[in-house]
Amino acid sequence: AYAVAVTRIHRPQAALTNLQWQTPLPGLRLAASLVNTQLKITATPLENVWGGLVSAFEYVDISDIDISVLSMEYSWRDAVLAAEYMKADQEVNLGGMVAMSNHQEAFYVSLTVPVASWFEMGIYYSELDAFDKEMDVLFEALLKAVDYAGWDKRWVMSTRFNLSEYWTLKLETQYI
């Protein structure tokens, strides 16, 4: 991880497609989304917080970002069960010095149940695998660390208080 001063973000093009289907089964909704974009970030490195890695790159060029998402939501009475799966592929160029492909996958499953008209409880579980196995080997070698945080697994408990028509207070606790 680097601390940087971002001086410019340029996104030359982006395309988004979303399809939602309210199925004949009452309460079941399915959806699919596709995103394709490019991104160029110009930044000045300020500090290297990993130690040992030295950065001289001044920009990150992320091209051909393809993201696909499949989701479902099932409502029964006032309870809502939701799940989502995401896959992302991208080409990353760090200042012309390092070029790599990156593949990410993530999913979550959540359940929310209203206890009263003003109070709702929820729980969800999510996982994110942020890098390919090749990247795992690279980061393990560079950082001398196993399981360097290229993945994220978490359980979350949440409460939601509907204070008024315009104000909601949501509290979460996360176990990572």
Side-chain angles (χ1 to χ4, degrees), residues 11-24:
R11 188 181 67 224
Q13 61 93 18
L16 168 67
T17 304
N18 181 273
L19 176 65
Q20 296 186 14
W21 180 38
Q22 190 71 39
T23 69

Side-chain angles (χ1 to χ4, degrees), residues 15-21 29-37 65-72 83-89 108:
L16 168 67
T17 304
N18 181 273
L19 176 65
Q20 296 186 14
W21 180 38
R29 183 177 59 156
L30 303 175
S33 299
L34 299 173
V35 176
N36 177 273
T37 190
I65 302 170
D66 293 310
I67 302 170
S68 40
V69 179
L70 299 174
S71 60
M72 64 79 64
E84 187 171 278
Y85 170 77
M86 183 272 305
K87 183 177 79 167
D89 292 297
Y108 80 86

Side-chain angles (χ1 to χ4, degrees), residues 18-176:
N18 181 273
L19 176 65
Q20 296 186 14
W21 180 38
Q22 190 71 39
T23 69
L25 181 63
L28 181 61
R29 183 177 59 156
L30 303 175
S33 299
L34 299 173
V35 176
N36 177 273
T37 190
Q38 297 174 346
L39 186 64
K40 184 169 184 173
I41 302 170
T42 305
T44 304
L46 300 177
E47 167 186 2
N48 178 347
V49 295
W50 277 344
L53 283 175
V54 178
S55 169
F57 67 85
E58 293 182 3
Y59 70 88
V60 176
D61 187 8
I62 306 173
S63 60
D64 298 325
I65 302 170
D66 293 310
I67 302 170
S68 40
V69 179
L70 299 174
S71 60
M72 64 79 64
E73 182 179 282
Y74 180 69
S75 300
W76 181 68
R77 297 189 181 174
D78 290 327
V80 178
L81 174 67
E84 187 171 278
Y85 170 77
M86 183 272 305
K87 183 177 79 167
D89 292 297
Q90 56 202 10
E91 298 294 322
V92 180
N93 182 333
L94 300 178
M97 296 172 37
V98 179
M100 62 187 146
S101 296
N102 186 12
H103 175 77
Q104 299 179 5
E105 290 186 56
F107 76 89
Y108 80 86
V109 177
S110 71
L111 175 66
T112 56
V113 179
V115 177
S117 62
W118 55 272
F119 179 63
E120 181 179 283
M121 293 181 64
I123 185 170
Y124 74 82
Y125 177 76
S126 67
E127 283 191 18
L128 167 67
D129 184 4
F131 294 108
D132 286 333
K133 299 305 175 211
E134 295 82 18
M135 290 299 295
D136 286 341
V137 172
L138 171 67
F139 276 95
E140 183 178 331
L142 290 172
L143 302 176
K144 309 288 188 266
V146 180
D147 295 332
Y148 65 92
W151 54 266
D152 181 282
K153 299 177 182 180
R154 64 182 64 208
W155 283 97
V156 178
M157 300 277 299
S158 66
T159 56
R160 176 180 159 148
F161 301 89
N162 298 318
L163 304 175
S164 73
E165 182 179 353
Y166 305 104
W167 288 93
T168 299
L169 173 66
K170 185 173 183 180
L171 304 172
E172 291 187 349
T173 182
Q174 301 189 19
Y175 174 74
I176 301 173

